[in-house]
């Protein structure tokens, strides 16, 4: 079996803005932002080992999380617009958010699982959207060469022949 022949993409076949990915990324960013904000005001964690008890203060990580959560929220809102370049920005923010969540998994496992799951879904949706956009000749918001509007019909009074 071979590949199907290439299809001439019309405007209806081109993908629109990735609304689901943008919504999920915005949700992920807000969860990250709110859980990190709560961690900034929390007391240090107590870790008990064989040698004794230690206080672990993750306030610095929490402030980093607040910044990443705000960036992810903005990336989700930007990705939902479908503008050029927002997909790459959203992919980078989702990957960064997932990586930092995995580092803080021992301190907030439920929030980490939720955010990493949302980020993984967003990464898959955005990569699929990018692949479909390239296969059909670009996104609906991309600039195309040629005239900005088609020629008027022959019976139109604005036609100059």
């Amino acid at each position: 079996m071979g590949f199907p022949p290439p299809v001439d993409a019309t405007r209806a076949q081109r993908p629109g803005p990735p609304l689901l990915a943008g919504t999920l990324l915005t949700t992920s960013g807000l969860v990250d932002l709110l859980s990190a904000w709560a961690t900034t005001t929390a007391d240090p964690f107590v870790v008990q080992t064989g040698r004794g008890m230690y206080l672990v203060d993750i306030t610095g990580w929490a402030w980093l999380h607040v910044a990443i959560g705000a960036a992810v929220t903005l990336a989700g809102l930007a990705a939902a617009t479908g503008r050029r370049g927002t997909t790459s920005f959203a992919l980078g923010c989702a990957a960064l958010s997932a990586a930092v969540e995995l580092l803080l998994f021992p301190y907030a496992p439920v929030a980490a699982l939720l955010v990493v799951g949302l980020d993984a879904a967003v990464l898959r949706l955005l990569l699929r959207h990018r692949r479909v956009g390239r296969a059909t000749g670009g996104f609906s918001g991309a600039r195309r060469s040629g005239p900005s509007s088609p020629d008027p019909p022959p019976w139109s009074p604005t036609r100059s022949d």
Side-chain angles (χ1 to χ4, degrees):
M1 261 191 191
F3 292 106
V7 178
D8 183 28
T10 63
R11 186 167 173 81
Q13 292 173 333
R14 291 190 181 125
L19 294 176
L20 179 60
T23 304
L24 289 176
L25 194 59
T26 303
T27 304
S28 169
L30 287 174
V31 167
D32 209 9
L33 183 71
L34 293 175
S35 67
W37 184 259
T39 307
T40 60
T41 61
D43 291 333
F45 290 93
V46 177
V47 178
Q48 182 177 359
T49 65
R51 295 183 181 172
M53 295 176 66
Y54 298 99
L55 289 176
V56 179
D57 189 13
I58 59 168
T59 306
W61 280 100
W63 283 110
L64 175 69
H65 236 59
V66 168
I68 290 174
V72 169
T73 302
L74 291 175
L77 293 173
T81 64
R83 294 212 173 233
R84 188 189 292 192
T86 58
T87 304
S88 299
F89 178 61
L91 282 169
C93 284
L96 179 66
S97 172
V100 171
E101 276 300 330
L102 289 175
L103 290 174
L104 289 177
F105 178 78
Y107 303 105
V110 175
L113 286 177
L114 178 67
V115 171
V116 169
L118 286 172
D119 287 341
V122 166
L123 287 169
R124 182 167 189 242
L125 286 169
L126 287 175
L127 289 172
R128 186 173 187 187
H129 183 266
R130 178 185 273 185
R131 186 184 66 220
V132 169
R134 287 183 179 160
T136 58
F139 302 113
S140 61
R143 295 182 186 179
R144 291 180 281 283
S145 61
S148 60
S149 62
D151 291 333
W155 62 84
S156 173
T158 58
R159 188 171 177 104
S160 59
D161 280 338

